[in-house]
Amino acid sequence: MAAGSAIQIPSRLPLLLTHEGVLLPGSTMRTSVDSPRNMQLVRSRLLKGTSLRSTIIGVIPNTSDPTSDCDDLPSLHRIGTAALAVQVVGSNWPKPHYTLLVTGLCRFQILQLLKEKPYPVAEVEQLDRLEQFTDQHKSEEELGELSEQFYKYAVQILDAVRLEERFKMTIPLLVRQIEGLKLLQKTRKPKQDDDKRIVAIRPNRRINHMPSTTEDEEEEDHDDVVMLEKKIRASSMSEQALKVCLKEIKRLKKMPQSMPEYALTRNYLELMVELPWNKSTKDRLEIRAARIVLDNDHYAMEKLKKRVLEYLAVRQLKNNLKGPILCFVGPPGVGKTSVGRSIAKTLGREFHRIALGGVCDQSDIRGHRRTYVGSMPGRIINGLKTVGVNNPVFLLDEVDKLGKSLQGDPAAALLEVLDPEQNHSFTDHYLNVAFDLSQVLFIATANTTATIPPALLDRMEIIRVPGYTQEEKIEIAHRHLIPKQLEQHGLTPQQIQIPQVTTLDIITRYTREAGVRSLDRKLGAICRAVAVKVAEGQHKETKPDRAEVGEGEDCKEHVTEDAKPESISDTADLALPPEMPILIDFHALKDILGPPMYDTEVSERLSQPGVAIGLAWTPLGGEIMFVEASRMDGEGQLTLTGQLGDVMKESAHLAISWLRSNAKRYQLTNASGSFDLLDNTDIHLHFPAGAVTKDGPSAGVTIVTCLASLFSGRLVCSDVAMTGEITLRGLVLPVGGIKDKVLAAHRAGLKRVIIPRRNEKDLEEIAANVRQDLTFVTASCLDEVLNAAFDGGFAAKPRVERLNSKL
């Protein structure tokens, strides 16, 4: 290019719309590219282009809303800046985008927009001239005298090679600059002095009326630090902890109070002093007294109470026994948390509960490092500070509901806490020194062990806490729940009486659960209804058309069948002498609690072929489960509904395969009389309730029985429930949760339970009264299951070997 010729930009430029700033000629800007048009420009023009002209783009300020998702091209600013793309950087996080480094060349004016998609291209007119200065004399003439003077000084200094010469040339320039600054400072100083004098007078007036307390505060704070040091030396902390604290005290003495680290260091030292390094409570090791306390606080739970008494006995023989790591696993409402509190009461120890449900940060267990703002110790150390002793009972509630996140895995952090071989030197991130947790009695609670990591589960002693029987619930209600509700509602036994028959009705007709929480709520509703009547002062004469005195209960009131069942307020006219208590019977229950929730007879569900009752285990306890089957003309398809898991779907396929292979033995045919049960026949299996997810292998025997009933046209016994896994050869394999499943069958009023023969040993854990009410049938193969499930058995032809066709 000839000397002095102008640099021309292309007449057509792709346009980059940016909202991060305005690019001016000669300046450099880094901009983010994330809109579809701009990203297409980068991909098509900058990344694929090879010539210098392809890297020149037009940058237009985008005056519209950058967050708008509109596909239309916004109105363009008329003037833009031609720019050279110096650098392109791409990234895929958090979403695909590019970052451009562009340098402005000159301004241009948009003459015409040529196209809008995939990126805008416009015909432009260059407004600034870009000269290429190759002639030194011409440049000096245009720059003028100022440029000549700057150039002159720069070339003198540039030619000075020796250091002495450079000093001689630069010192006069610096002296001149300093003299100019001094002169400027002298002109401003009188005004600044006047301002200072005015500002100084006002604070002096204010200070004269205030006592001088700065020195006193400093002395007082110094005394506090000295007292803190004395407490540290007097505490019985470990040698390592003492060394760290003394080092921090030295730093604290040298540190100004205004520093943020001063408060952090002081809080750390105060926490170290408050921790119970060697402070503990003395255990009450009287076995007989402990047994009485446990029996008074909790009914049943013999296995759990036996384990606690064993710990007390061993602790009585050996004082330095490490605390066991117990984990109570059972459905909600069976008393796992309250048992932990009773254990602390029995031992005479302090009790502290740590809720772990939803915890997803390991810092909740180990604490935060002191380098972070707002750091604090973990829940373990904070709990020790709260109780003030080093041998409390810690209840780790809902350990099966721990989460996991980017902040770490709290279940992994618990591995050190719950390991007797490691927790004698537990290190919290905030303390950064070891603390002995070996004397702490850790008790964890969970509804299921399925969600507990195996490594954590291996460190705990699992104690199963199954659901209660009806008899146990009645005893718990009259020993604990009813007295508690009467006290909470301000009632006395002279004002309300709930017979055991009424309690049984509540258990069987209004609650079906493994625990007693729903039963407690129902009793609370009854007490509230009675409290309303007592508060209204209902001490009038009894109306014969609304209430009557029952036989043998001349001094008690109850609601008759003639009473209106609309609401409890309809019984507000019941009147009694002041000394007469209110008797709650079934009719009063109906008025207070409404119609029974579980009043459907099981026999009604099994009134036609193709229905069987199975037993399932859930984290909430055992449940009965109906399995329904129907057949229709089709193409031999098997349909499964009811939100089934993969294991249960496989059990259904196993069941239909076994029945098809044994159809001739049991004379099972489809609608057309063929032994091929799926020949022109579709089968639909449904597992109510459809909104509850179900999975597991224990429904295998129930599915076989249901399909056998469907194809044989015979009804399954209405008082039979079953559980067990099956194989393709017809064997019945053992399953888990037998006790919970048996209790569910007992609650539902069933009489016979079919279980795998290898689960017969699990019946020893079931209460004697439950075993007396039920008949147990153990089966090792499906032939035995079918014979027990149908009245009169389910006869099958004996298996015979095929004879040679010649014979």
Side-chain angles (χ1 to χ4, degrees):
M1 183 176 293
S5 61
I7 299 177
Q8 296 290 333
I9 64 173
S11 60
R12 295 185 178 184
L13 284 181
L15 302 182
L16 178 74
L17 277 64
T18 175
H19 56 270
E20 297 179 350
V22 179
L23 180 67
L24 298 177
S27 63
T28 302
M29 182 177 69
R30 191 177 299 274
T31 180
S32 177
V33 176
D34 52 7
S35 65
R37 284 190 174 89
N38 289 347
M39 292 186 66
Q40 189 64 33
L41 185 150
V42 173
R43 295 192 185 104
S44 304
R45 185 83 177 188
L46 301 182
L47 297 183
K48 294 184 179 180
T50 56
S51 63
L52 177 63
R53 296 174 65 88
S54 64
T55 61
I56 300 177
I57 58 176
V59 179
I60 297 290
N62 186 5
T63 58
S64 62
D65 185 7
T67 61
S68 176
D69 295 333
C70 182
D71 294 334
D72 297 335
L73 185 67
S75 60
L76 300 179
H77 196 72
R78 188 173 58 89
I79 304 297
T81 304
L84 181 67
V86 180
Q87 185 182 44
V88 181
V89 179
S91 176
N92 288 324
W93 189 90
K95 63 178 183 179
H97 69 280
Y98 295 98
T99 301
L100 292 185
L101 181 63
V102 293
T103 299
L105 301 176
C106 64
R107 293 177 298 168
F108 64 84
Q109 178 180 356
I110 297 179
L111 300 179
Q112 181 183 0
L113 185 64
L114 301 179
K115 67 174 184 178
E116 296 184 4
K117 294 183 179 180
Y119 54 88
V121 177
E123 183 178 355
V124 300
E125 178 185 2
Q126 183 173 342
L127 299 180
D128 300 323
R129 294 179 58 84
L130 294 176
E131 301 291 345
Q132 183 177 14
F133 296 105
T134 57
D135 192 344
Q136 182 179 359
H137 297 288
K138 184 177 181 179
S139 63
E140 291 179 356
E141 294 176 359
E142 294 184 356
L143 289 177
E145 296 181 359
L146 186 62
S147 176
E148 291 180 359
Q149 185 178 2
F150 177 81
Y151 181 79
K152 178 181 178 181
Y153 282 121
V155 174
Q156 283 175 0
I157 298 175
L158 181 64
D159 292 341
V161 178
R162 296 177 57 189
L163 182 62
E164 182 180 358
E165 295 179 358
R166 276 181 283 168
F167 275 130
K168 291 180 179 180
M169 293 181 181
T170 55
I171 286 176
L173 298 177
L174 292 176
V175 170
R176 183 182 302 176
Q177 181 67 20
I178 293 173
E179 290 177 353
L181 292 176
K182 287 182 178 179
L183 181 62
L184 180 62
Q185 186 177 8
K186 289 181 180 180
T187 58
R188 294 181 179 179
K189 186 174 182 180
K191 184 177 180 180
Q192 292 178 354
D193 292 340
D194 294 339
D195 294 339
K196 290 181 180 179
R197 189 178 300 109
I198 295 173
V199 174
I201 291 174
R202 294 175 181 174
N204 285 337
R205 291 177 182 175
R206 191 174 303 170
I207 293 174
N208 289 336
H209 297 284
M210 296 176 61
S212 178
T213 59
T214 305
E215 297 181 359
D216 296 340
E217 290 179 355
E218 291 180 356
E219 292 179 359
E220 182 180 355
D221 185 75
H222 182 267
D223 294 340
D224 291 342
V225 174
V226 172
M227 290 297 297
L228 184 59
E229 183 178 4
K230 291 181 179 179
K231 291 180 181 179
I232 292 174
R233 295 184 182 278
S235 65
S236 55
M237 63 178 63
S238 62
E239 182 178 353
Q240 179 190 7
L242 180 61
K243 182 179 180 180
V244 172
C245 289
L246 293 179
K247 181 179 179 181
E248 294 293 329
I249 278 287
K250 292 181 181 178
R251 294 180 63 247
L252 190 66
K253 292 179 179 179
K254 300 177 182 178
M255 197 181 301
Q257 298 183 27
S258 58
M259 289 186 62
E261 193 176 355
Y262 182 88
L264 299 178
T265 304
R266 182 160 181 170
N267 292 337
Y268 171 76
L269 294 174
E270 289 176 352
L271 173 66
M272 295 289 282
V273 172
E274 294 176 0
L275 285 179
W277 296 93
N278 201 23
K279 183 180 179 181
S280 60
T281 56
K282 187 176 182 181
D283 290 345
R284 292 199 298 261
L285 301 177
E286 298 180 2
I287 303 299
R288 294 182 180 179
R291 189 189 301 273
I292 293 175
V293 172
L294 290 175
D295 290 339
N296 291 338
D297 290 348
H298 292 85
Y299 184 78
M301 294 187 175
E302 300 300 330
K303 184 177 181 181
L304 189 148
K305 290 188 288 188
K306 177 183 176 183
R307 179 63 183 89
V308 176
L309 294 176
E310 290 174 352
Y311 169 75
L312 292 179
V314 177
R315 185 62 188 269
Q316 186 175 355
L317 300 177
K318 186 177 181 181
N319 292 329
N320 59 349
L321 177 66
K322 294 181 179 180
I325 314 296
L326 306 178
C327 182
F328 300 156
V329 180
V334 296
K336 301 184 296 294
T337 303
S338 59
V339 166
R341 188 174 284 105
S342 296
I343 292 176
K345 178 181 176 182
T346 303
L347 295 173
R349 292 190 181 188
E350 298 292 334
F351 177 79
H352 185 72
R353 175 179 172 269
I354 300 177
L356 297 178
V359 173
C360 56
D361 188 352
Q362 69 163 354
S363 298
D364 284 341
I365 307 298
R366 287 187 173 275
H368 303 81
R369 299 190 185 277
R370 284 191 291 148
T371 55
Y372 296 105
V373 177
S375 59
M376 61 182 67
R379 296 194 181 189
I380 303 297
I381 296 298
N382 191 55
L384 291 170
K385 173 189 172 184
T386 302
V387 297
V389 292
N390 65 356
N391 63 339
V393 175
F394 268 14
L395 183 75
L396 306 178
D397 212 0
E398 308 294 350
V399 73
D400 59 327
K401 298 175 179 61
L402 285 169
K404 184 187 295 186
S405 67
L406 296 175
Q407 285 73 34
D409 186 1
L414 280 176
L415 294 178
E416 181 182 3
V417 177
L418 300 181
D419 192 344
E421 300 300 327
Q422 300 181 27
N423 62 8
H424 65 276
S425 58
F426 171 71
T427 302
D428 186 275
H429 287 163
Y430 184 82
L431 298 186
N432 206 25
V433 293
F435 193 95
D436 187 6
L437 300 179
S438 61
Q439 298 303 315
V440 179
L441 176 56
F442 288 101
I443 298 176
T445 67
N447 296 131
T448 177
T449 58
T451 56
I452 302 178
L456 181 60
L457 191 65
D458 181 63
R459 283 164 167 76
M460 300 185 293
E461 179 182 348
I462 305 300
I463 299 179
R464 301 284 178 178
V465 186
Y468 297 114
T469 64
Q470 293 180 359
E471 291 75 11
E472 291 172 345
K473 289 183 179 180
I474 293 174
E475 289 294 330
I476 293 172
H478 286 270
R479 290 189 182 189
H480 304 286
L481 301 183
I482 294 178
K484 182 188 71 173
Q485 291 293 342
L486 293 181
E487 181 181 358
Q488 290 180 355
H489 292 84
L491 299 174
T492 63
Q494 288 74 29
Q495 295 171 324
I496 178 176
Q497 288 189 5
I498 305 177
Q500 290 192 357
V501 177
T502 303
T503 307
L504 181 60
D505 285 338
I506 300 174
I507 294 171
T508 56
R509 297 191 176 190
Y510 291 92
T511 63
R512 277 189 182 174
E513 57 175 349
V516 291
R517 284 182 180 169
S518 295
L519 175 60
D520 191 28
R521 286 191 289 266
K522 299 299 182 184
L523 293 174
I526 294 172
C527 291
R528 289 193 298 272
V530 174
V532 171
K533 297 173 64 177
V534 173
E536 290 178 350
Q538 297 178 1
H539 301 299
K540 303 178 182 179
E541 294 182 358
T542 305
K543 295 185 178 181
D545 59 336
R546 300 295 301 274
E548 63 181 6
V549 179
E551 297 179 2
E553 301 289 339
D554 296 337
C555 62
K556 300 177 182 179
E557 175 193 6
H558 68 282
V559 182
T560 64
E561 296 181 357
D562 296 334
K564 296 181 180 180
E566 295 178 0
S567 65
I568 185 59
S569 61
D570 295 330
T571 64
D573 294 335
L574 295 177
L576 293 173
E579 69 275 4
M580 294 258 182
I582 298 177
L583 177 67
I584 304 298
D585 61 1
F586 176 71
H587 303 291
L589 284 181
K590 193 172 182 181
D591 285 340
I592 299 172
L593 303 179
M597 300 175 59
Y598 304 99
D599 206 19
T600 304
E601 294 292 336
V602 175
S603 58
E604 296 179 4
R605 303 285 296 268
L606 277 74
S607 59
Q608 55 184 344
V611 183
I613 303 176
L615 297 174
W617 181 90
T618 69
L620 305 181
E623 297 286 345
I624 65 171
M625 177 179 62
F626 290 91
V627 180
E628 302 173 349
S630 63
R631 60 180 177 178
M632 66 288 294
D633 294 337
E635 300 178 354
Q637 295 182 355
L638 176 62
T639 304
L640 303 172
T641 56
Q643 288 204 33
L644 308 183
D646 294 336
V647 177
M648 188 170 285
K649 291 179 181 178
E650 293 175 356
S651 298
H653 287 285
L654 279 174
I656 191 64
S657 298
W658 184 84
L659 283 175
R660 292 180 67 186
S661 63
N662 292 273
K664 289 185 178 180
R665 289 184 58 223
Y666 290 101
Q667 296 298 307
L668 302 177
T669 60
N670 58 13
S672 61
S674 173
F675 289 113
D676 187 359
L677 303 181
L678 293 181
D679 184 21
N680 297 325
T681 303
D682 287 348
I683 300 176
H684 188 168
L685 277 171
H686 180 60
F687 297 75
V692 180
T693 304
K694 311 167 191 70
D695 201 5
S698 62
V701 295
T702 311
I703 300 174
V704 170
T705 305
C706 176
L707 293 175
S709 170
L710 176 67
F711 288 108
S712 65
R714 299 178 58 185
L715 298 177
V716 180
C717 295
S718 60
D719 61 347
V720 173
M722 60 199 72
T723 183
E725 183 180 356
I726 62 173
T727 68
L728 196 58
R729 299 303 178 187
L731 300 179
V732 179
L733 301 182
V735 293
I738 291 296
K739 183 174 182 179
D740 290 321
K741 294 177 180 179
V742 170
L743 293 178
H746 187 257
R747 288 195 299 268
L750 302 176
K751 300 300 180 183
R752 280 192 294 169
V753 178
I754 303 174
I755 63 173
R757 183 161 296 169
R758 290 167 60 181
N759 283 120
E760 188 175 4
K761 62 182 183 301
D762 298 325
L763 299 179
E764 298 178 359
E765 300 180 0
I766 302 173
N769 59 335
V770 177
R771 293 202 301 265
Q772 292 176 359
D773 294 340
L774 296 175
T775 300
F776 295 96
V777 178
T778 59
S780 60
C781 61
L782 287 174
D783 294 338
E784 298 174 355
V785 172
L786 295 178
N787 284 330
F790 294 89
D791 287 332
F794 201 80
K797 292 183 179 180
R799 293 180 180 271
V800 294
E801 297 181 357
R802 294 183 178 179
L803 300 179
N804 193 322
S805 59
K806 295 182 179 181
L807 298 179

